[in-house]
Amino acid sequence: REDLHDSLNGFPIHVPDLKDRVEDLPVLLAEIQRKLRLNGGDELTFSAAAVDALQGYDWPGNLRELSELVKTLAARCRGREVQVEDLPMNIRAGDGCRPEGTAAASRPSTAHSHPDGLDLERYLADMERSLIRQALNESRGELARAAERLNLGRAALVEKMRKYGI
């Protein structure tokens, strides 16, 4: 209906692409999983490495693609944690990954070199960021539960999330 279309166009809402808000991925995963459980689906958890791989993907299909992936993984990985190996090859291989300097490029890596040797400070920050994401994922985005899993106060967790842009 043309009148409905005109009315809706009077209130434009900009929703950023999923690739531009990968820091929301743990919360989105938790919400999709909650809906699956309400419909009789199994419990599903993701390893930190799997979440990192998901955050490195470009998500051309946005939320619908993520939702379909979670449904597929729920059927394939019943009763066990989703690992990187369970993800489709295009996500595992980094197809569609963003270049250096974007949010996904800042996820932890195994090598932290520095001109003078190893960069312990960066390594520890990357590990902390990864553990926070994992706790958020496992607690389905519930800050109090995530803080408890990390043995932190809620305020301390919120401060660390702000520090790391999570």
Side-chain angles (χ1 to χ4, degrees), residues 36-131:
L36 283 175
R37 278 193 315 279
L38 286 176
N39 292 324
D42 291 329
E43 184 77 20
L44 188 65
T45 60
F46 290 82
S47 71
V51 172
D52 284 345
L54 292 171
Q55 288 180 315
Y57 183 62
D58 223 10
W59 296 105
N62 278 313
L63 195 54
R64 181 169 289 166
E65 183 181 8
L66 176 63
S67 181
E68 292 303 316
L69 175 65
V70 171
K71 288 177 190 175
T72 301
L73 291 170
R76 191 182 313 152
C77 302
R78 285 197 167 111
R80 66 177 178 83
E81 184 177 62
V82 175
Q83 302 296 320
V84 172
E85 299 79 34
D86 298 314
L87 301 174
M89 187 57 90
N90 63 327
I91 294 176
R92 259 190 288 171
D95 292 354
C97 284
R98 285 173 290 289
E100 287 296 318
T102 60
S106 65
R107 63 186 187 278
S109 65
T110 54
H112 297 282
S113 59
H114 188 272
D116 299 325
L118 297 176
D119 189 344
L120 179 62
E121 197 170 309
R122 178 176 169 214
Y123 177 78
L124 292 175
D126 286 349
M127 287 301 296
E128 189 171 39
R129 186 181 297 111
S130 179
L131 288 171

